[in-house]
Amino acid sequence: MENAAYSVPASLSEPIADYLDFLRLQRGRSENTLRAYAVDLRDLSGFLGSQLHKVRWDRVQIEDLREWLAGMHEAQISRTTIARRISSVKNFFAWAQKNQIINDDPALRLVAPKKERRLPHVLQPSQIDRLLSQNAAEAAASHNVQDANDQKEPKKDQKDFALAARDKVIAELLYASGLRISELVSLDVPDIDFSRRTLRVLGKGNKVRVVPFGLPAQRVLTTWLETYRMVLADEQKSGNALLLGARGGRLNVRQAREVITRALKSLGDTAATGPHALRHTVATHLLDGGADLRAVQEFLGHASLATTQLYTHVSVERLRQSYSQAHPRA
């Protein structure tokens, strides 16, 4: 249910812009969060204007919101997306009432569907080993770019080696430190403390946490920084960014996601897709290995322990499956 073609009147769009400014300036919400709020609120405002011909927020009633909700159900939009949109709308109307844009809050009685609690796909340790070994030969084929220069190899070959080395850093760090993909691409070189093997990470809500990484990640990071980053670096574009794109600018979320999506697909024996699969995997492996739940919560940067507890369900489900397969009287 999209209303992108409908031109939203200023009487609806301006309060949305003011609300987004409030979230940005006073609540410090991330750009990803702001984009999600903007999409959700513009979907509602487009529906109100194009379908119900309402052009003022103080004219909106609970019946209008329920009609919007029914349209999303008919369009077979996922329960998770619907729940997020309703949360965005309820927060907006609460702000609008507080700021006297509306007198009564029509969203108070709007009920969101329960979110789908699907257990995430988790990679086995053997699959992780294969994933992190991919492209290792290519990344190591020219261990030192200076050697390539001495042999007068084409510049394209040097760039290919550099991209392979960068992709290995992406996979290693996602698994080593359980980072969100947005956190990974936001890393700067000074965020790395090699003496302690830790990363300084700016997470959701602009909260900073320090997370560890292991020796394999240290090795690929060192190779990248000492040998390959300089191949892609651009004096005007790179700055302190740890991970660079082919043109020298900071690697973006889409590009990093494509790297992992391709790598997971190439495994051929997993339903796991996208970089969040590695975050799911490291959380589950830590808990399987006996890590404390609250330590894993801090490691992942979860605001709520309930979010981290999802991975205990994954561990229990894996145990149940193993029991069913192996126990004589299962």
Side-chain angles (χ1 to χ4, degrees):
M1 190 181 75
E2 296 295 335
N3 301 290
Y6 178 77
S7 178
V8 178
S11 55
L12 292 178
S13 63
E14 287 179 0
I16 293 176
D18 291 340
Y19 178 58
L20 295 176
D21 285 341
F22 163 76
L23 293 179
R24 178 185 295 107
L25 300 174
Q26 296 190 36
R27 292 296 176 86
R29 295 293 188 259
S30 71
E31 288 302 317
N32 286 340
T33 298
L34 292 172
R35 278 193 291 271
Y37 269 104
V39 168
D40 297 342
L41 294 172
R42 285 165 188 159
D43 183 87
L44 173 60
S45 59
F47 172 80
L48 292 172
S50 63
Q51 302 296 319
L52 304 182
H53 307 292
K54 294 201 172 183
V55 295
R56 289 170 54 123
W57 289 110
D58 59 2
R59 301 286 175 83
V60 179
Q61 299 177 337
I62 181 63
E63 291 77 12
D64 303 326
L65 298 179
R66 285 173 176 161
E67 191 171 340
W68 173 63
L69 178 58
M72 288 191 284
H73 283 299
E74 290 174 5
Q76 297 185 329
I77 293 174
S78 74
R79 283 188 293 168
T80 301
T81 298
I82 292 175
R84 189 202 71 211
R85 287 183 176 178
I86 290 176
S87 176
S88 299
V89 166
K90 289 173 78 72
N91 289 334
F92 169 73
F93 275 112
W95 169 86
Q97 185 180 37
K98 185 176 180 180
N99 287 271
Q100 301 180 336
I101 296 170
I102 60 174
N103 293 322
D104 300 309
D105 184 348
L108 282 175
R109 291 182 290 140
L110 190 64
V111 179
K114 289 185 178 180
K115 292 183 179 180
E116 298 166 299
R117 297 294 284 179
R118 296 178 181 175
L119 294 180
H121 291 290
V122 173
L123 296 166
Q124 300 293 329
S126 60
Q127 291 173 315
I128 283 290
D129 289 341
R130 285 164 48 212
L131 180 76
L132 299 182
S133 296
Q134 286 182 145
N135 298 324
E138 292 88 343
S142 178
H143 183 69
N144 193 301
V145 173
Q146 186 59 49
D147 292 343
N149 289 335
D150 291 345
Q151 296 168 24
K152 292 182 169 49
E153 290 186 12
K155 187 174 181 180
K156 183 180 182 300
D157 287 348
Q158 299 173 34
K159 194 170 185 177
D160 288 344
F161 289 134
L163 291 172
R166 181 207 63 191
D167 292 352
K168 192 162 179 61
V169 171
I170 293 171
E172 282 282 359
L173 279 188
L174 285 175
Y175 180 68
S177 298
L179 301 180
R180 300 176 179 93
I181 194 68
S182 58
E183 295 170 344
L184 176 73
V185 299
S186 296
L187 287 174
D188 289 332
V189 175
D191 292 330
I192 306 170
D193 185 338
F194 281 104
S195 64
R196 294 181 174 85
R197 288 213 302 273
T198 59
L199 301 170
R200 182 182 180 276
V201 180
L202 182 64
K204 283 188 174 180
N206 290 326
K207 293 180 180 178
V208 176
R209 70 184 189 279
V210 175
V211 296
F213 58 86
L215 280 170
Q218 181 182 22
R219 286 193 287 269
V220 298
L221 272 171
T222 300
T223 300
W224 163 249
L225 291 174
E226 292 183 354
T227 305
Y228 292 107
R229 185 181 180 275
M230 66 186 73
V231 177
L232 301 181
D234 181 281
E235 191 173 320
Q236 303 298 321
K237 300 177 182 178
S238 300
N240 285 326
L242 173 63
L243 297 173
L244 305 177
R247 297 181 179 179
R250 182 184 295 274
L251 190 71
N252 64 42
V253 167
R254 179 187 58 78
Q255 293 166 327
R257 182 178 289 113
E258 287 175 354
V259 168
I260 296 302
T261 298
R262 287 196 305 269
L264 288 171
K265 187 175 181 180
S266 71
L267 288 179
D269 59 356
T270 178
T273 58
H276 225 64
L278 296 186
R279 185 168 160 86
H280 295 322
T281 297
V282 67
T284 304
H285 288 180
L286 285 171
L287 290 168
D288 284 348
D292 177 75
L293 187 63
R294 289 200 176 275
V296 176
Q297 176 191 5
E298 183 176 347
F299 176 77
L300 295 174
H302 285 157
S304 168
L305 189 63
T307 307
T308 315
Q309 285 176 323
L310 172 64
Y311 299 107
T312 65
H313 301 316
V314 177
S315 296
V316 170
E317 178 64 15
R318 284 156 59 103
L319 175 60
R320 188 193 65 78
Q321 291 175 356
S322 298
Y323 180 87
S324 297
Q325 293 170 2
H327 198 288
R329 297 177 70 86

